[in-house]
Amino acid sequence: QVQVVESGGDVVQPGRSLRLSCAASRFTFSRHPMHWVRQAPGKALEWVALISYDGSNKYYADSVKGRFTISRDNSRNTLFLQMNYLRVEDSAVYYCARGSLGYSYGPFDSWGQGTLVTVSS
Amino acid sequence: DFVMTQSPDSLAVSLGERATINCKSSQSVFYSPNKKNYFAWYQQKPGQPPRLLISWASIRESGVPDRFSGSGSGADFTLTISSLQAEDVAVYYCQQHYETPVTFGQGTKVEIK
């Protein structure tokens, strides 16, 4: 059973930084693109970032571009999201999601349970 | 950016009855070279992460009951639950993954009447 487990969520003040991690197991992590998706309380899903299977290509939502950085360590089967200059509106549950094998842009076929980020003074 | 608009925002259906959710994309998500619609449906039950139900507009994922079906092409898509069960109470999201930014619909909440 594919597993992705997020960690790193916390309560932080506006303007501070936070790093999320996503540990992957039971699949060949290095062959899949990976995504971060967030969901504010009671709101719809919002895509945040995508990284290609080898880390060579990265894409971001306009709302986080220049502040967030997605990365991966295929030797450790781990995905990261470095979040800088956090804003109140970044408060959400952040999900790690696996992209489909063989497609740069494919459906998200496995999701973690999410980690909660709260930005508040 | 692709704007995904779902209708209705919510719907209440009696057990055993049909539920239909529509999703319209602001642009076509059909990719001619491989004849695929870059479109998916997700189910999110309360307190749980989303789950992929239907990929490429009409392919039911492994383990998804056959009462769920997806149809449509181009910019207009439909998710049908042929006979609603109590465990189908959830919010359903459509998604285009044709290009970045990947975008989701606003969600449709399905409840029991």
Side-chain angles (χ1 to χ4, degrees):
Chain A
Q1 183 83 340
V2 168
Q3 195 168 30
V4 289
V5 178
E6 304 91 340
S7 61
D10 203 348
V11 179
V12 295
Q13 292 180 325
R16 304 300 289 264
S17 299
L18 202 59
R19 189 195 202 201
L20 305 183
S21 299
C22 170
S25 59
R26 301 174 188 165
F27 69 98
T28 307
F29 178 72
S30 61
R31 297 183 65 191
H32 288 262
M34 295 295 295
H35 301 262
W36 286 100
V37 177
R38 68 185 181 184
Q39 186 172 37
K43 301 296 186 183
L45 301 168
E46 180 189 12
W47 174 80
V48 173
L50 156 66
I51 187 167
S52 59
Y53 70 97
D54 61 355
S56 60
N57 293 296
K58 304 174 185 182
Y59 306 90
Y60 299 93
D62 284 347
S63 57
V64 307
K65 203 171 293 181
R67 300 187 299 121
F68 289 13
T69 302
I70 189 171
S71 62
R72 65 191 299 161
D73 183 340
N74 285 346
S75 68
R76 293 166 53 195
N77 293 339
T78 305
L79 175 72
F80 302 100
L81 186 68
Q82 177 66 43
M83 304 186 295
N84 298 331
Y85 307 107
L86 281 161
R87 304 168 179 167
V88 170
E89 55 266 33
D90 294 321
S91 298
V93 173
Y94 283 73
Y95 294 104
C96 163
R98 188 181 81 165
S100 298
L101 188 64
Y103 292 92
S104 297
Y105 302 122
F108 302 0
D109 58 17
S110 292
W111 297 63
Q113 290 295 315
T115 188
L116 178 62
V117 173
T118 303
V119 184
S120 174
S121 53
Chain B
D1 298 0
F2 287 62
V3 177
M4 310 299 288
T5 304
Q6 293 180 228
S7 60
D9 288 336
S10 64
L11 106 138
V13 175
S14 300
L15 288 172
E17 295 301 304
R18 178 183 300 259
T20 302
I21 302 169
N22 298 299
C23 180
K24 190 174 188 67
S25 173
S26 59
Q27 303 173 58
S28 174
V29 300
F30 182 74
Y31 186 58
S32 302
N34 62 9
K35 295 183 171 42
K36 285 184 175 291
N37 285 286
Y38 280 58
F39 181 90
W41 288 101
Y42 297 84
Q43 175 192 61
Q44 187 176 32
K45 295 182 178 180
Q48 295 186 19
R51 170 197 183 192
L52 177 63
L53 279 184
I54 304 286
S55 61
W56 310 109
S58 62
I59 299 175
R60 196 182 308 115
E61 290 297 292
S62 173
V64 174
D66 61 8
R67 63 181 178 272
F68 290 92
S69 63
S71 62
S73 184
D76 289 281
F77 300 90
T78 299
L79 174 69
T80 301
I81 309 172
S82 60
S83 175
L84 191 75
Q85 304 301 303
E87 60 265 32
D88 301 335
V89 168
V91 178
Y92 294 83
Y93 292 96
C94 63
Q95 178 207 45
Q96 69 78 17
H97 47 87
Y98 186 91
E99 65 175 35
T100 57
V102 172
T103 48
F104 294 88
Q106 80 274 22
T108 295
K109 187 174 186 178
V110 174
E111 300 172 307
I112 305 296
K113 186 187 289 183

